[in-house]
Structures are given as structure tokens and as C-alpha cells.
Amino acid sequence: MMYTFDFSSLWAYWPEFLAGALTTLEMTFAATVLGLCIGVAGAIARGSRHAWLRVVAGGYVELVRNTPFLIQIFFLFFGLASVGVRMPVLAAAVLAMVINVGAYTTEIVRAGIEAVHPGQIEAAESLGLSVPQVYWYVILRPALERVYPALTSQFVLMMLSSSITSQISAEELTAVANNIQSITFRSLETYIVVALLYLVLTVLLKSGFWLLGQGLFPRRRRLGTPL
Amino acid sequence: MSVVVKLEDVHKSFGLVEVLRGVSFEVSAGEVVAIIGRSGSGKSTALRCINRLEKIQSGSIEVCGRRVEAPDLDLRALRQDVGIVFQSYNLFPHLTVEENIVLAPRRVKNVKGAEAHALARTALEQVGLSDKIDAYPEQLSGGQQQRVAIARSLAMSPKVMLFDEVTSALDPELTGEVLRVMEKLAKGGMTMIMVTHEMGFARRAADRVIYMHTGKVWETGTGAMLGSPQTPELKNFLANEL
């Protein structure tokens, strides 16, 4: 079996590829920022003194982690539309990503919070710091530093699974590729190009996280040791 | 001399276990008090009740004129008056020595940049660790970490300092360097209450020694009391301790 590669017929579509990649990146950026906020809030709620908060946060995590991402997307976009809640495709796609990654992030951040020695919290309280100050300076910062590698890979994973949102025609990289291959009939070449583009995006995202980490965690930058 | 800390008939239980069974004592300004006793005698719990890390069931505790058990207590104000140093140091591992020290002054007392830096320098000089200002806790020995913990507490200029078995995790050499810092503080006039297993140190540095047994103040006196114990329990305790 012989196959003659022909990438030249794809060349005309580079603006589309680029636009798709940018959309993926933008969706990822939005979902990372919002997902992290939800993850931190969820992790704090899971360790709350109030039982109802723990139940709500725990239920959210279990619901999201035990159902398929595709079903969550369809529920938000098609399911809610039939009861009159309509939103733009991209909004639904990003919302689905935020809800999904927020649940996983909740568990990761919770692990980081639980690793903070209770004695450090007592020490902070004994110095007169307020509860929000204790959370911010003494609990969350070392917790995030500790789980930062796990967070990074979770958000990379989320970027890759954003390709599933092509199923509701979010115009991200995979949807663009699907269009191009149906026009050019060059599916092998198209998906090779797309795979490489995802690889580039991953490298970009990881570099971004690394740079951010250098700024956020000076101890790690200077000592290079895990906390 | 004015009374800084006053416990009156303090009772405290954890579940069904009554840890403090009517503890009363007073500590005046500038006084150095050592609390000794077996594990489980309630001495650490008594200490932790003073800055309300533990809530008491009955009795009263007064610190610098504040009723600690009062429901409307300004907890943060109380804790600015009371410094505490723990057995396990409890430094913040993600912060440098300087950041550990200035965190509370900056966030609680709103001390700004250069002033905060000077505060850290002064506190570190007091514990003899000026050269470690930029180090991270994991780069320090246990004794050095404990001295930083003392400096961190000092930087809030507390009116009384509590020491909860601060040398129990250290070998004899490192214990010595921490005890020297504490003796210096004591000579400088700091009001101190320390739970300790270092009998020699208690005898040397303390104005008064309190022996606790089964949740009660069993015997109290000057350091010399350790040489001539009155009760069989203290005699027994000292025999095992030395």
C-alpha cells in the first residue's frame, strides 16, 4: 500500500488553522483562570466547618468526575436550550470546561491544603492574623506551590479535551480540522498538522505555567526543591 | 508588680477526659515561670488556654486585663499581646526567615517596608541569627529554626511569651543554643511562661516553678524547690526525670 503525502493542499488553510489554535488557546486561558478560582473555592468549601458546604462541594466534585465530559457539554448546550436557556456556542464550551476542570482542581487544591501542617495554622492564628489572612498567606500559597505540577498537567489535559467541544461546533482547532479535511479530503495530513499544532500549544501552555511558577514561588526558584 | 496572666479555677476537658481540674496561678510582669510535670499532666493545655488555642469549660483566665473566656473577646488583640513558641517550630516553609518574621507585623500591625526590614533585623540579632535573614526554613538546623520562631514571636512585641516544650525536638547541643536565647530574654525583662522538661534550665532561669500533676497545680516554689520537693509525686517525678 502506497500513500503519497500532500501537505501543499492544506497550505491555503493556514489562517483557519491559526484561528482555530487561537480559539483553543483563548478558551483554555479563560477556563484556566475561572477553573482555578472554582477549584480554590471548592477546596476551601470541602474543608469547611459547615456540613452543607462540604456536601455541596463534594456533590459537585462527584457529579462532574463521574460523568463524561461530552455529556456535560451536551447537557449545557442542547439540554438547557430545550428549557429555554440558550447561550452562544463558545460560552457553553468554556462554561463546560470551567465546570469540568473546576471539579478536578478542587481535589488537587484540597490535597495541597490538607498537606499544610496544622501547627503552621495555629502559629499564624497565634500571631494575630485574621482567618482570610491565614488562608491566603499560610495555607493557600504553600498548598498551591506543593500541587503546582499536578495543576499544570490538569490544565494541559483540559486544553487537550477542549477538542471535544467541536461536537457542539465550537470553532476551535479540532472543529477547524474537521472542516478542512472534509473540504480537502486530506484527513491524514490534516490530523498530522493538527496533532503538531496541539503539541505546540501544549509546549506554550507548559512554558506559561513554568514562567508563572517562577514568579509565584520564589522558594522553589531559588532552592529547586519540592515543598 | 502588675499581674499579666491570671488563671482561676480553670477546668478543661477533651471529651470525657478532664485535662485541667481547677488550675489557678498568677504571673506578674517580668516574671519567668516554668511549668513542669509528666506528659498528660495538663501543662501544655494550660499554656494553650492562655492565648485561647483551647477554650476552657469553666473558671477564668485574665491576660493583660482581658478576660480570655469572654464571648466578646477581641481574639486578635489578645494574640498580639501573647507570643507563643511551639515544640515543632511551625515556621512557614514557603517564606524566607525575614518574610516569616515580618508577615504578622505587616499584615496585622501595618508596619511598612523599611521599618519591617529593620524589625526583622533587630529580632534576628536578639536570637543571634542575623546572617540567616534570607534563608528558607529547610536550610536551617532545628535549633536555628526554633530561634527564628522565637524571633518571629518577638517581632510582634508581645507582653508575655509562652514556650511549649520548645527544646523537646532538639539534641543537647541545639537545646543549649535555644535555652541561651531564652535566658537572655528572661534577663531582658520579658514575662515568660515555659513548659519544659529541662530541669536544670528551669532551676537556673525561672523565678518560680509550677509542678503540675493530674490536671492540678501540685506544688509551686522557687527553683530551689526542685532540690527539696515536698510532695512524693514531685519527688518521684524528679527521680525519673534526672
Side-chain angles (χ1 to χ4, degrees):
Chain A
M1 197 175 81
M2 282 292 292
Y3 185 85
T4 321
F5 281 96
D6 174 22
F7 285 98
S8 60
S9 52
L10 295 180
W11 186 245
Y13 294 95
W14 73 265
E16 279 84 353
F17 277 118
L18 192 66
L22 274 178
T23 305
T24 293
L25 213 52
E26 284 163 11
M27 288 163 69
T28 301
F29 182 76
T32 299
V33 173
L34 296 173
L36 197 57
C37 295
I38 289 193
V40 168
I44 291 174
R46 290 212 74 172
S48 166
R49 287 185 291 122
H50 307 291
W52 68 271
L53 262 178
R54 290 199 302 272
V55 169
V56 168
Y60 158 64
V61 168
E62 293 306 323
L63 189 68
V64 169
R65 295 208 310 174
N66 296 306
T67 52
F69 185 38
L70 186 59
I71 299 301
Q72 294 164 11
I73 298 170
F74 282 170
F75 171 82
L76 279 173
F77 189 62
F78 299 124
L80 289 187
S82 47
V83 292
V85 182
R86 284 164 217 285
M87 50 190 132
V89 172
L90 270 184
V94 170
L95 186 61
M97 287 165 73
V98 168
I99 290 173
N100 187 272
V101 83
Y104 287 92
T105 309
T106 293
E107 286 304 90
I108 295 175
V109 175
R110 180 169 78 126
I113 288 179
E114 282 174 1
V116 174
H117 195 284
Q120 285 161 23
I121 298 166
E122 268 188 356
E125 287 171 346
S126 300
L127 285 164
L129 292 167
S130 65
V131 173
Q133 286 173 333
V134 172
Y135 260 103
W136 181 247
Y137 295 108
V138 177
I139 300 178
L140 281 177
R141 286 200 33 202
L144 290 176
E145 177 170 346
R146 208 169 266 126
V147 299
Y148 198 65
L151 280 179
T152 303
S153 50
Q154 189 61 52
F155 285 111
V156 167
L157 206 61
M158 178 200 64
M159 185 192 74
L160 297 179
S161 48
S162 72
S163 69
I164 298 175
T165 65
S166 63
Q167 292 304 307
I168 54 168
S169 313
E171 280 301 306
E172 44 69 70
L173 189 50
T174 301
V176 167
N178 290 341
N179 286 337
I180 293 174
Q181 69 89 25
S182 69
I183 300 167
T184 61
F185 298 106
R186 285 283 159 195
S187 25
L188 184 59
E189 289 86 342
T190 304
Y191 289 119
I192 288 175
V193 169
V194 164
L196 288 174
L197 283 172
Y198 271 113
L199 212 57
V200 170
L201 288 182
T202 306
V203 170
L204 276 178
L205 189 61
K206 279 189 171 169
S207 311
F209 266 99
W210 182 83
L211 268 177
L212 192 66
Q214 292 289 302
L216 286 178
F217 310 120
R219 191 206 63 86
R220 199 187 179 90
R221 184 180 67 227
R222 262 180 52 193
L223 303 186
T225 52
L227 195 62
Chain B
M1 261 193 287
S2 64
V3 174
V4 180
V5 175
K6 183 176 181 181
L7 282 77
E8 226 164 358
D9 196 27
V10 170
H11 288 258
K12 163 78 189 170
S13 307
F14 292 109
L16 291 174
V17 187
E18 200 174 19
V19 186
L20 300 181
R21 303 189 302 150
V23 171
S24 307
F25 62 81
E26 281 184 18
V27 179
S28 303
E31 208 179 4
V32 177
V33 172
I35 306 178
I36 60 171
R38 249 190 245 151
S39 299
S41 59
K43 53 196 191 312
S44 282
T45 305
L47 202 69
R48 291 164 57 86
C49 288
I50 294 173
N51 77 339
R52 220 175 83 172
L53 280 175
E54 307 288 354
K55 280 189 181 172
I56 62 175
Q57 264 89 38
S58 67
S60 76
I61 301 180
E62 210 176 292
V63 178
C64 305
R66 270 191 200 87
R67 289 290 285 268
V68 173
E69 76 281 4
D72 62 340
L73 167 80
D74 183 348
L75 192 58
R76 295 183 67 190
L78 167 77
R79 283 170 174 176
Q80 287 179 53
D81 284 343
V82 184
I84 183 165
V85 185
F86 303 89
Q87 179 181 342
S88 49
Y89 333 134
N90 297 337
L91 295 180
F92 310 127
H94 59 299
L95 300 178
T96 64
V97 166
E98 174 169 9
E99 290 164 343
N100 262 278
I101 295 172
V102 300
L103 177 65
R106 284 179 61 178
R107 303 301 162 190
V108 179
K109 291 185 167 174
N110 216 5
V111 177
K112 295 275 184 281
E115 204 185 328
H117 180 69
L119 199 60
R121 294 215 73 92
T122 314
L124 280 174
E125 261 165 43
Q126 280 179 276
V127 300
L129 283 174
S130 300
D131 54 326
K132 299 293 183 191
I133 192 160
D134 289 321
Y136 282 95
E138 69 190 85
Q139 298 174 298
L140 304 176
S141 72
Q144 290 171 332
Q145 289 193 46
Q146 193 58 293
R147 282 146 72 195
V148 172
I150 294 174
R152 179 174 69 179
S153 211
L154 280 175
M156 288 298 279
S157 328
K159 297 197 175 82
V160 52
M161 278 185 80
L162 314 176
F163 295 85
D164 190 5
E165 296 190 33
V166 294
T167 60
S168 296
L170 301 172
D171 68 36
E173 193 185 338
L174 300 181
T175 295
E177 68 182 49
V178 172
L179 294 185
R180 274 193 292 281
V181 167
M182 288 167 68
E183 283 194 73
K184 212 173 83 183
L185 279 180
K187 289 204 181 89
M190 176 63 77
T191 309
M192 293 164 60
I193 308 174
M194 48 202 194
V195 168
T196 182
H197 285 291
E198 299 289 330
M199 292 307 136
F201 174 67
R203 193 173 201 165
R204 204 167 59 237
D207 301 315
R208 197 146 49 90
V209 178
I210 293 174
Y211 170 62
M212 282 187 68
H213 184 68
T214 60
K216 286 180 173 162
V217 173
W218 208 260
E219 203 174 324
T220 171
T222 61
M225 144 183 137
L226 299 176
S228 54
Q230 300 299 306
T231 58
E233 287 81 6
L234 179 56
K235 207 172 284 179
N236 207 343
F237 170 74
L238 290 171
N240 288 326
E241 197 69 24
L242 299 172

